Amino acid sequence: MSKVNKILGYIFVIFMAIITLFPFFYMISSSLMTFQEVTSIPPKLLPETAQASNYSEAMKVAPFARYFFNTIFVTIVNTLGTLITTTLAAFALNFLNFKHKKLVESILLALLMIPFEIIVFTNFRTIAKLSLLDSYWALILPFMASVFYIIYLRQFLRSIPMDYYNAAKVDGASDFEFITRVMVPLSKSTLFTIGLLNFIAGWNSFLWPILVTNSKNMRMISNGLSAFATEAGSYIHLQMAASTITILPILILYFIFRRQILEGVSYGGLKG
């Protein structure tokens, strides 16, 4: 009976994998078809002849090079800023004793319950009053810190004995030296996961960039793709090519670093 259950389990996993992967497969396949093939009924799964020119044509219709630059620049700066603020805040919460520490922790945990959509207009008004709309500052400043990642890293730091910190202080090490020489090396898997997940979230961001930017030159890749779908009209094969261009870097990034992601989640996961 257990053998039958195992076989049924494998069948279920394979079935779910097919459902999950089929949209990606069809997107890539359609991006290599002609307009006639992609609109044919019944639909085709594979192109007769791969049309690689669809990618270059899609790049001509919309300035994807600019979208890529904006997205990479903003995402890298946000990721570095988030790593710095997360490391410093998690260190303070875990290793330092200060007045109202429990209150600060409670407030941070409460903030996890507030969806981003609720505070987005407050952030928008703040950015507008600072006259930062349609600038890189508007895309970067609100995302230089993350409460979720602070709590995430803090939970991992609980596994580091307090004796490490006390021994470092006895040896005359400063807090900064402890962070750089002890805490960061021990937390590198978790920090790597935070950086990678933050990068992916930044790459896929849509709502905030579309609120605070107006010009084409400031569009992020997701906003550019949405605008391209309108500009390209019924040219579905070009839309699929543009979608593939947008998503491939993240897929490649995931497959290269998937082991590090799983390690970080395993060792740095939220624990009760």
Side-chain angles (χ1 to χ4, degrees):
M1 189 67 180
S2 60
K3 194 172 183 180
V4 173
N5 290 337
K6 186 179 287 188
I7 292 172
L8 290 175
Y10 283 133
I11 293 173
F12 177 76
V13 170
I14 292 171
F15 177 72
M16 294 304 296
I18 291 172
I19 292 177
T20 303
L21 294 175
F22 179 77
F24 296 101
F25 165 77
Y26 187 70
M27 176 185 68
I28 296 172
S29 178
S30 299
S31 70
L32 297 170
M33 294 182 186
T34 63
F35 176 75
Q36 289 74 21
E37 287 176 328
V38 81
T39 56
S40 64
I41 298 177
K44 294 185 176 182
L45 291 180
L46 294 170
E48 291 183 7
T49 304
Q51 304 293 321
S53 59
N54 288 347
Y55 292 94
S56 58
E57 193 172 344
M59 294 288 283
K60 291 177 183 176
V61 174
F64 277 99
R66 179 70 185 190
Y67 300 158
F68 271 106
F69 171 79
N70 291 342
T71 306
I72 291 171
F73 174 72
V74 170
T75 305
I76 287 177
V77 173
N78 280 342
T79 300
L80 293 176
T82 299
L83 286 174
I84 293 171
T85 56
T86 297
T87 301
L88 296 177
F91 163 78
L93 288 174
N94 194 71
F95 293 105
L96 300 183
N97 290 316
F98 52 89
K99 193 175 182 180
H100 304 309
K101 180 178 177 179
K102 292 293 184 183
L103 177 62
V104 172
E105 291 178 350
S106 300
I107 292 173
L108 289 176
L109 288 171
L111 289 174
L112 287 176
M113 307 299 292
I114 302 175
F116 172 72
E117 289 76 12
I118 291 179
I119 61 172
V120 66
F121 292 109
T122 303
N123 287 343
F124 175 81
R125 285 178 61 84
T126 303
I127 292 297
K129 286 185 176 181
L130 293 173
S131 300
L132 296 177
L133 291 177
D134 209 30
S135 70
Y136 287 121
W137 288 112
L139 297 169
I140 292 171
L141 283 179
F143 303 98
M144 292 292 282
S146 168
V147 174
F148 173 77
Y149 291 137
I150 291 171
I151 300 299
Y152 181 83
L153 180 59
R154 193 280 171 92
Q155 292 302 110
F156 171 79
L157 294 180
R158 284 182 170 178
S159 65
I160 299 177
M162 195 68 182
D163 292 343
Y164 285 25
Y165 178 70
N166 293 332
K169 299 302 290 183
V170 169
D171 289 342
S174 65
D175 287 342
F176 180 75
E177 287 174 326
F178 173 78
I179 291 171
T180 55
R181 295 183 180 181
V182 180
M183 194 185 93
V184 169
L186 289 175
S187 312
K188 60 183 180 181
S189 294
T190 303
L191 288 171
F192 184 89
T193 302
I194 290 172
L196 194 55
L197 293 179
N198 192 80
F199 186 91
I200 293 172
W203 187 275
N204 294 327
S205 61
F206 181 82
L207 177 61
W208 180 253
I210 208 170
L211 282 175
V212 298
T213 61
N214 300 313
S215 62
K216 269 189 176 183
N217 287 336
M218 296 304 301
R219 280 178 182 169
M220 301 279 276
I221 193 70
S222 297
N223 309 129
L225 180 62
S226 176
F228 175 82
T230 303
E231 294 164 5
S234 60
Y235 293 106
I236 302 174
H237 58 307
L238 297 185
Q239 294 178 20
M240 292 297 185
S243 300
T244 303
I245 292 170
T246 301
I247 203 172
L248 271 182
I250 290 299
L251 289 178
I252 293 170
L253 200 64
Y254 171 77
F255 282 114
I256 292 175
F257 297 112
R258 65 186 183 279
R259 183 173 62 84
Q260 288 86 343
I261 293 175
L262 294 176
E263 284 181 2
V265 171
S266 173
Y267 292 114
L270 291 173
K271 301 174 184 176

